[in-house]
Amino acid sequence: MVHQKCFAVLLIVGCFCFCQNEAQQDLKRGSTCRTPNGDTATCISIFDCSRFVTTIRSGSPSQIKFIQSSQCGWDNHALVCCGTDIDYKSTRSPPVTVGTPVGRTVRTGFRRNIAIPDRANCGRQEADEGLSGFIYGGKETQLDEFPWLASLGYTDRFGRRQWSCGGTLINNRYVLTAGHCVIGEIERKIGKLSVVKFGEHNTDTIIDCNKDSKCNNRPVTIEVDQVEYPPNYDGLSNSPFDIALVRLKQKVDYTNFIRPICLPEPNEASRNAEMMTTAGWGRIENGTASKVLLKVEIPFVDKRQCSRLYSSAGVFLIDSQICAGGEGGKDSCAGDSGGPLMRRSSANPLVWYQEGIVSFGALKCGIKGLPAIYTRIADFLPWIHTTVRD
């Protein structure tokens, strides 16, 4: 998945996440910098700052926050302002994130929006793969499989276009994606979200055909009208509010290769070890972006188990985030951000619904025992149904 705002460093204890410091971002290695305590120091690799590495392995939450706030740049690794302190001075306090989670009262009920398809008109695909369903460690999809998958295109100031995030069609005018795919670092590093492409399979060809000479249609590209995200989203990929809606300038016509996925019901949730599916054109084992749409099955991971893993890295999860993965060699990866974590409905296995949105994870994908984090869509149903309009 794309780490547009936050980055992860793998140390002995596992995953340690860094976020760009707005006050002193993009300093070069060896530059003079100021620590969170205001002292002058040198901007160096996190791995060269031995006191930080030692503290990460056994430090307190305050010390972990201090190290994260010490980031001064990024090249091959996170750069930190490595001074003599490993914690805030007694006269200073670490920054506190405030805000009430959007989804705390979501499950109690909401007014449904008739513009969002119901289960009779969403989540169905022509591809018939039985009930097994099978990106990192993934396999190629069929031409008409997951027709709700969308590719997000960005345009930089020179007019160049790059496809850098995924999304899902939820009705004929809206695409669901991650918040960090529409604002924040992605705008500065890649460009402004400008178009969305539907019906894509192989990015190298216009019309794709399988071995049985069955072909898909030409992909459809539609310009973006506007983007919307929760009011308490802060632009970070590890935010518990990492969700956004993309409104298209025109309605998209449904075909066998372009259809909407279903949203979850308020209390529709997976249980530990149940298998889920994610798909996208993100990075694969050789480090390059996949040219074809890939899919992979990964297990849902118990929240308490996942929280313990990430809290040791100073990342604290809340109810609007869920975990999946942790099997070696199978994962969402760079370029998959905004894409779906989905499964078949238990009430009707022919219907797919989306339970999560690819949000963030470790810098290296597919690490055994380290699941990725997804935004839990059920916690944002009132916001989605309120925001979507004709």
Side-chain angles (χ1 to χ4, degrees), residues 117-322:
D118 57 26
R119 289 292 169 95
N121 299 291
C122 62
R124 297 174 184 268
Q125 58 184 14
E126 288 297 308
D128 182 12
E129 53 179 354
L131 302 181
S132 59
F134 199 153
I135 276 91
Y136 197 91
K139 67 178 184 180
E140 184 174 352
T141 63
Q142 299 179 46
L143 296 180
D144 50 7
E145 196 170 359
F146 309 133
W148 38 82
L149 260 291
S151 183
L152 275 54
Y154 302 80
T155 304
D156 66 16
R157 59 193 181 93
F158 301 106
R160 297 173 298 198
R161 181 174 294 171
Q162 182 173 331
W163 305 93
S164 298
C165 266
T168 47
L169 188 68
I170 61 170
N171 78 349
N172 58 14
R173 197 68 182 268
Y174 280 86
V175 170
L176 189 64
T177 188
H180 75 270
C181 286
V182 302
I183 64 165
E185 195 68 14
I186 196 165
E187 293 182 294
R188 294 186 286 274
K189 298 294 185 181
I190 298 179
K192 184 178 179 61
L193 177 62
S194 56
V195 295
V196 181
K197 184 187 293 185
F198 304 95
E200 180 75 279
H201 179 74
N202 188 325
T203 60
D204 273 356
T205 55
I206 297 176
I207 301 294
D208 306 306
C209 300
N210 60 21
K211 61 182 180 180
D212 298 321
S213 298
K214 179 181 179 180
C215 303
N216 63 1
N217 299 332
R218 178 188 293 268
V220 175
T221 301
I222 299 179
E223 292 184 353
V224 170
D225 181 20
Q226 67 180 106
V227 298
E228 300 192 59
Y229 43 87
N232 45 1
Y233 176 61
D234 57 10
L236 304 181
S237 63
N238 67 350
S239 166
F241 317 111
D242 191 19
I243 185 172
L245 286 167
V246 179
R247 179 177 168 85
L248 306 172
K249 282 192 175 181
Q250 64 187 65
K251 294 181 179 180
V252 60
D253 294 327
Y254 296 156
T255 69
N256 286 346
F257 308 100
I258 304 175
R259 292 181 179 178
I261 192 170
C262 298
L263 295 177
E265 291 299 308
N267 297 311
E268 194 169 33
S270 298
R271 298 180 180 179
N272 191 42
E274 288 185 332
M275 299 306 291
M276 311 185 77
T277 301
T278 186
W281 294 269
R283 196 169 66 204
I284 55 178
E285 290 87 337
N286 64 10
T288 63
S290 175
K291 297 183 183 302
V292 297
L293 181 61
L294 299 178
K295 62 180 178 179
V296 65
E297 280 194 336
I298 53 178
F300 185 90
V301 177
D302 179 73
K303 179 73 174 298
R304 290 169 295 182
Q305 173 188 344
C306 187
S307 293
R308 286 194 294 268
L309 290 171
Y310 278 88
S311 63
S312 65
V315 178
F316 302 97
L317 308 177
I318 69 171
D319 287 348
S320 59
Q321 295 168 300
I322 56 178

Side-chain angles (χ1 to χ4, degrees), residues 304-356:
R304 290 169 295 182
Q305 173 188 344
C306 187
S307 293
R308 286 194 294 268
L309 290 171
Y310 278 88
S311 63
S312 65
V315 178
F316 302 97
L317 308 177
I318 69 171
D319 287 348
S320 59
Q321 295 168 300
I322 56 178
C323 306
E327 292 189 343
K330 294 182 178 181
D331 204 354
S332 51
C333 202
D336 292 321
S337 271
L341 181 67
M342 51 193 172
R343 61 173 300 171
R344 293 179 184 272
S345 166
S346 58
N348 185 349
L350 295 179
V351 173
W352 285 83
Y353 75 91
Q354 183 176 350
E355 192 163 332

Side-chain angles (χ1 to χ4, degrees), residues 80-93:
V80 294
C81 196
C82 187
T84 57
D85 295 332
I86 59 170
D87 203 349
Y88 293 89
K89 293 178 180 177
S90 58
T91 56
R92 297 175 62 95
S93 298

Side-chain angles (χ1 to χ4, degrees), residues 342-379:
M342 51 193 172
R343 61 173 300 171
R344 293 179 184 272
S345 166
S346 58
N348 185 349
L350 295 179
V351 173
W352 285 83
Y353 75 91
Q354 183 176 350
E355 192 163 332
I357 300 170
V358 179
S359 185
F360 71 98
L363 182 63
K364 184 176 180 181
C365 310
I367 299 176
K368 185 175 181 179
L370 190 59
I373 308 301
Y374 299 77
T375 303
R376 175 182 161 85
I377 297 173
D379 277 27

